[in-house]
Amino acid sequence: MAPKFSQVLSVTRQAPELIVPARPTPRELKQLSDIDDQESFRSQPRKLMVDCNGEGILFLEAEANFKLEQLGGAIQSPCPYLEQLTYNVPGSEGILGCPLLLIQVTRLMCGGFTLAIRFNHTMCDASGLVQFVKTIEEMARGANTLSIFPVWQWERLCARNPPQVTSVHLEYEEINNNSDTFITTNPNEMDHKSFYFGPKEVRVLKNQLPLHLRNCSTFELLAACMWRCRTIALQLDPKDTVQFSCLVTARAKDYKMDIPSGYYGNAVAFPAVHSKVGALCNNPLGYAVALVKKAKAEMSEEHIRSAADLMEVKGRRPRHAIKGNYIVSDLSKVGFDRIDLGWGKPVFAGIAGAKSIFSFLNRYQKEDGETGTLIPIRLPGPSMKRFEEELKRMIQGSTEDLFDITETRKIACKL
C-alpha cells in the first residue's frame, strides 16, 4: 500500500496545449531506420514514417498540493504516483496519428518540480532522449546556441542492398518454454519493486565469482544476479530454456558505426544467450555472469547491420522474444541524473519502472550520499517473495536497505 497521505495527494492540471515550432518547418514524410522500425519499439505492424506536419508536442502544466519531502522514496522507480505526475491525453496513446512527445511539468509546494516525459520509442532511444532533454536544459539556462544539433540520417541504420543476415539473432526467436506463465499472469496480480545495490552489495557478489570473472562490469554482475534470481523465483521446469537479452548501444566507438553526434534515433541491438533453467539455477553466479558477458560480446557493427537486414527480410518487423526471455538495459550512464535545468541535479531521474520482461539499471543516490544502482522488476506476487528470499541469500550480511527502497505494490503492467 502507498503511504497514507496519498489519500489527499492531488495534482491540478491545466488544459493540455500543443507547443508548435517557433517558425515554419518543412512539411514532409521522414522514413525511420530499420532499427527504429522493429516491432519491439511499437505495437503496430507495417512500415512506419514520421509525418512532419508542424502540429507540435503536447505539454501540460500542473500544480501539486504536496512537497517533495512528503514523497520520500516514492519518487523513484517504481513511482506509485505516476498517474498524477504524467497524463495520457485521450487519443494520444496509440502510434498512428499521435504526438511524438508528451511533457508534464508539475510544481510542488516546496518550490521543486517534476518533469515527466512520455515519448514514442520508434523515434529515439534513451541516449537520444537524454540528448533532447539536454537541449531543453541549455535553452532553459539561456544558451544562445545549442551545443549539439539534431541529426536525422536514418539511412545509417537501414538494411543493406541486398540484405545480408550474417548473424544468429536469438533475440527474435521465440523459445518453446511451456512452464513460463509470466506473460499470462493477470497484470493486477503483478508486484513491482526496485532493489538497490550499493558498493557493499556489489563487493559481496563479486566475491562469489571465480578470479577470471571478477573484472566483470557492474552491469554484467547485476544483470546476471537479477536473471538468476528471477529464474529461480519463477519456478520453471529445469529442462526448459530461458533467454537473456541486453540492450547494447551502437554509439560506442568500439563498434566503428560512426553514429554522428546529434543522432537521436534508436541505435541499439538486443544480443541474446540461452540457458537451460536447471543449469542457470543450480550453478554458481559465475555461470550467469559468463553468459551475460557472452551476450554483450555478440554485439558488433556486423550484428546490428545484420539485425537491420533481418527486419527487411522478415517484412513483418519481428519483435524480441517474449516467453522465457528477460531483457536488461543499463541506463545508469546515459546521463538522466546529470540533467540540470537551473535548479540543481534531480533527486531521481530515470525510467518510471520495469516494463513486462524488461528491467533497467538506474543510477541512484541514497539520503546518506551513497551512490549505487536501482533496478526495478515485475513479478507475480508469490514469485516476488521467492525473488527476495534468493537475493537475500546471495547478499549474505547485507543491510535491509536492499529491500526497503520501495514498497511492494500491485499495479498493472501498462507503463
Side-chain angles (χ1 to χ4, degrees):
M1 296 178 60
K4 292 181 180 180
F5 75 85
S6 66
Q7 297 174 4
V8 295
L9 178 151
S10 66
V11 169
T12 304
R13 298 186 180 93
Q14 298 182 17
E17 57 182 308
L18 284 169
I19 305 298
V20 300
R23 55 181 178 270
T25 55
R27 177 64 191 266
E28 58 186 340
L29 293 176
K30 284 188 175 292
Q31 187 172 343
L32 295 168
S33 78
D34 288 296
I35 296 299
D36 287 323
D37 201 29
Q38 57 185 302
E39 195 175 337
S40 301
F41 297 135
R42 56 189 172 89
S43 58
Q44 301 284 340
R46 298 190 303 274
K47 185 70 176 174
L48 297 177
M49 291 185 288
V50 179
D51 182 10
C52 301
N53 55 26
E55 291 183 0
I57 65 172
L58 279 171
F59 179 81
L60 293 95
E61 291 185 66
E63 299 281 346
N65 71 340
F66 54 88
K67 301 177 181 179
L68 179 63
E69 63 186 21
Q70 289 178 268
L71 292 176
I75 193 65
Q76 84 263 326
S77 172
C79 177
Y81 310 112
L82 192 61
E83 292 185 1
Q84 287 93 341
L85 300 177
T86 188
Y87 180 53
N88 289 341
V89 174
S92 70
E93 294 183 339
I95 295 293
L96 303 180
C98 294
L100 300 178
L101 277 173
L102 187 153
I103 299 176
Q104 177 175 323
V105 175
T106 305
R107 297 184 185 90
L108 308 179
M109 291 180 65
C110 57
F113 64 92
T114 66
L115 173 67
I117 300 177
R118 186 165 63 97
F119 69 100
N120 189 322
H121 210 324
T122 60
M123 285 295 298
C124 66
D125 57 15
S127 296
L129 179 61
V130 168
Q131 180 176 292
F132 171 75
V133 181
K134 289 293 288 185
T135 299
I136 295 178
E137 172 189 304
E138 292 178 350
M139 296 172 68
R141 304 189 71 169
N144 294 321
T145 185
L146 303 182
S147 60
I148 300 178
F149 282 85
V151 174
W152 189 260
Q153 295 190 16
W154 57 269
E155 67 278 0
R156 289 178 176 268
L157 289 170
C158 276
R160 296 170 286 199
N161 187 14
Q164 306 168 48
V165 182
T166 55
S167 298
V168 176
H169 293 282
L170 297 177
E171 57 266 37
Y172 300 110
E173 297 179 7
E174 285 293 348
I175 300 170
N176 185 18
N177 186 325
N178 295 321
S179 65
D180 186 359
T181 59
F182 179 89
I183 301 301
T184 59
T185 300
N186 185 326
N188 294 319
E189 297 177 357
M190 284 284 187
D191 281 349
H192 192 185
K193 191 170 184 180
S194 284
F195 295 89
Y196 173 80
F197 296 85
K200 177 180 179 180
E201 289 76 31
V202 170
R203 184 171 62 252
V204 169
L205 290 173
K206 279 201 174 185
N207 286 340
Q208 299 177 32
L209 301 179
L211 291 177
H212 71 282
L213 288 176
R214 292 190 183 181
N215 64 344
C216 68
S217 68
T218 299
F219 169 79
E220 292 164 346
L221 179 72
L222 299 185
C225 175
M226 296 289 288
W227 182 34
R228 184 176 181 274
C229 291
R230 179 182 186 272
T231 305
I232 292 173
L234 289 172
Q235 295 186 331
L236 306 177
D237 187 329
K239 297 179 181 179
D240 275 348
T241 299
V242 287
Q243 176 171 294
F244 172 85
S245 302
C246 53
L247 268 72
V248 183
T249 180
R251 299 172 191 270
K253 294 181 180 179
D254 296 347
Y255 303 126
K256 300 179 180 179
M257 293 288 293
D258 295 325
I259 304 296
S261 177
Y263 183 80
Y264 54 89
N266 289 282
V268 296
F270 297 82
V273 288
H274 286 173
S275 173
K276 290 295 183 183
V277 170
L280 180 61
C281 296
N282 296 326
N283 275 296
L285 178 60
Y287 174 85
V289 170
L291 285 175
V292 171
K293 290 175 71 70
K294 180 181 178 182
K296 283 183 60 181
E298 293 291 322
M299 180 60 175
S300 64
E301 177 185 358
E302 185 58 33
H303 184 91
I304 195 169
R305 296 205 182 281
S306 176
D309 293 346
L310 182 68
M311 300 299 116
E312 182 69 21
V313 169
K314 291 287 187 181
R316 292 190 67 254
R317 308 290 165 180
R319 66 175 299 158
H320 56 76
I322 298 293
K323 186 176 288 188
N325 195 12
Y326 181 50
I327 305 176
V328 182
S329 177
D330 186 3
L331 302 180
S332 63
K333 299 180 178 66
V334 296
F336 285 120
D337 59 300
R338 296 190 294 274
I339 301 295
D340 185 349
L341 299 175
W343 287 267
K345 299 294 177 63
V347 173
F348 174 79
I351 297 296
K355 179 182 178 183
S356 183
I357 60 173
F358 283 81
S359 284
F360 304 91
L361 273 68
N362 297 289
R363 188 174 183 273
Y364 182 74
Q365 186 174 44
K366 295 170 63 177
E367 292 184 0
D368 63 5
E370 181 182 278
T371 299
T373 304
L374 193 68
I375 309 178
I377 188 170
R378 290 181 188 269
L379 285 171
S383 297
M384 184 66 82
K385 292 179 181 178
R386 291 190 291 268
F387 179 92
E388 293 188 56
E389 291 170 358
E390 180 60 24
L391 194 52
K392 279 185 178 181
R393 189 193 64 79
M394 294 183 67
I395 312 288
Q396 296 177 358
S398 67
T399 64
E400 288 299 311
D401 287 346
L402 180 66
F403 308 103
D404 291 342
I405 289 296
T406 58
E407 294 181 320
T408 302
R409 46 190 165 265
K410 298 179 179 178
I411 58 178
C413 295
K414 65 178 181 180
L415 301 185

